Amino acid sequence: MKMQQKLDEITLYLTQTLSGYEVIPANWGWHIHKKDMYCGYLEYQDTKGWRGSAFNSLPARIREQLKQFALSDSALTYQVIV
């Protein structure tokens, strides 16, 4: 699968999972906003999982959903290179 297609799929997943948040694609990750508040940056790395200041500001239930997504086949082919 092409990298851009995979990024689009993950962006769609994030948009659906983070209902009530605005998910803005950025280089190698996403900026997360909730209403007028900037929650931070979120990225996924194959070897380290979800990272960024936005991850810690999300509710525990959503963090757990993102961790489960990372373990699924959907995320296996996506890797951020930093």
Side-chain angles (χ1 to χ4, degrees):
M1 186 178 297
K2 294 181 181 178
M3 180 64 117
Q4 186 59 49
Q5 183 180 355
K6 194 62 176 171
L7 287 171
D8 292 344
E9 284 182 18
I10 294 173
T11 300
L12 178 61
Y13 173 80
L14 288 172
T15 302
Q16 293 170 345
T17 302
L18 300 175
S19 62
Y21 292 83
E22 183 179 5
V23 177
I24 302 170
N27 291 336
W28 307 115
W30 302 266
H31 293 285
I32 309 297
H33 296 256
K34 185 163 188 170
K35 297 185 181 179
D36 291 336
M37 184 179 79
Y38 178 66
C39 298
Y41 185 74
L42 181 66
E43 67 181 24
Y44 178 77
Q45 292 185 10
D46 198 29
T47 57
K48 298 179 181 179
W50 294 100
R51 300 180 55 185
S53 57
F55 186 75
N56 292 326
S57 70
L58 296 172
R61 177 185 58 80
I62 293 176
R63 287 195 311 263
E64 190 58 36
Q65 287 177 322
L66 292 176
K67 288 177 187 177
Q68 291 302 315
F69 175 75
L71 297 173
S72 72
D73 288 340
S74 301
L76 291 178
T77 59
Y78 175 67
Q79 180 176 6
V80 174
I81 302 169
V82 291

